Amino acid sequence: MPSHEADVEDGLKHSFSYTVPAGKTVPHLYEESPELAEMPEVFATGFMVGLMEWTCVQLLRPHLDPGEGSLGVHIDVSHKAATPVGFAITVDAECIEVRGPRAKFAVRAHDGIDEIGSGTHERFIVSWDRFNKSVAAKAAKANAKVEA
């Protein structure tokens, strides 16, 4: 069982800044979607969620044991304002609760003009070896169904 629990605690904070390129706008979220291709070139909600997750991963990383990582298991955020290409977005994350291998974060994103998003995000700390074995077993089941 992972021994990270002594290292991950409430109150840990991290900030990360990222400049929005054209490729992280709504039309590029699913490039095969003609509906999304017609939309304005502003930072996409899906990419904002990913940026919030990335910030939480960065916050956790120095507190994990070798061979451990984290998986996003819950997200509850609002996207409140549009952000054009070229703006720098800063995400602030704070660990607000730890329950065993589960860590919960308050997240907030700001583009220098507006708070563009906020909410909570939860991550589950895992052993990569154990997780990868589970995914391989699932893939094997799917392959067995195809062959049957």
Side-chain angles (χ1 to χ4, degrees):
M1 188 55 135
S3 62
H4 59 272
E5 287 136 14
D7 296 335
V8 178
E9 57 189 29
D10 296 4
L12 293 174
K13 294 180 181 181
H14 181 66
S15 294
F16 178 60
S17 294
Y18 179 82
T19 300
V20 178
K24 297 294 188 238
T25 59
V26 178
H28 299 281
L29 188 58
Y30 282 95
E31 293 183 343
E32 62 273 29
S33 166
E35 297 84 3
L36 293 177
E38 298 171 354
M39 296 184 76
E41 291 217 7
V42 294
F43 192 51
T45 302
F47 290 126
M48 181 189 76
V49 168
L51 187 58
M52 289 172 165
E53 287 199 80
W54 188 6
T55 303
C56 293
V57 167
Q58 289 180 336
L59 185 156
L60 282 175
R61 189 171 186 174
H63 304 281
L64 301 180
D65 292 333
E68 288 183 332
S70 65
L71 304 167
V73 295
H74 187 83
I75 188 90
D76 183 7
V77 297
S78 296
H79 193 171
K80 304 172 185 180
T83 301
V85 171
F87 276 55
I89 295 174
T90 299
V91 175
D92 299 311
E94 179 179 0
C95 185
I96 58 172
E97 182 180 356
V98 178
R99 292 181 324 234
R102 186 179 293 253
K104 184 175 184 178
F105 304 89
V107 290
R108 176 183 172 273
H110 197 283
D111 67 10
I113 305 294
D114 294 312
E115 179 177 276
I116 66 163
S118 64
T120 60
H121 174 49
E122 293 184 37
R123 301 193 67 77
F124 199 85
I125 299 165
V126 298
S127 157
W128 285 133
D129 284 343
R130 184 173 177 190
F131 178 77
N132 290 333
K133 285 177 186 172
S134 174
V135 172
K138 183 174 184 175
K141 285 181 186 176
N143 290 337
K145 282 186 175 182
V146 169
E147 293 172 5

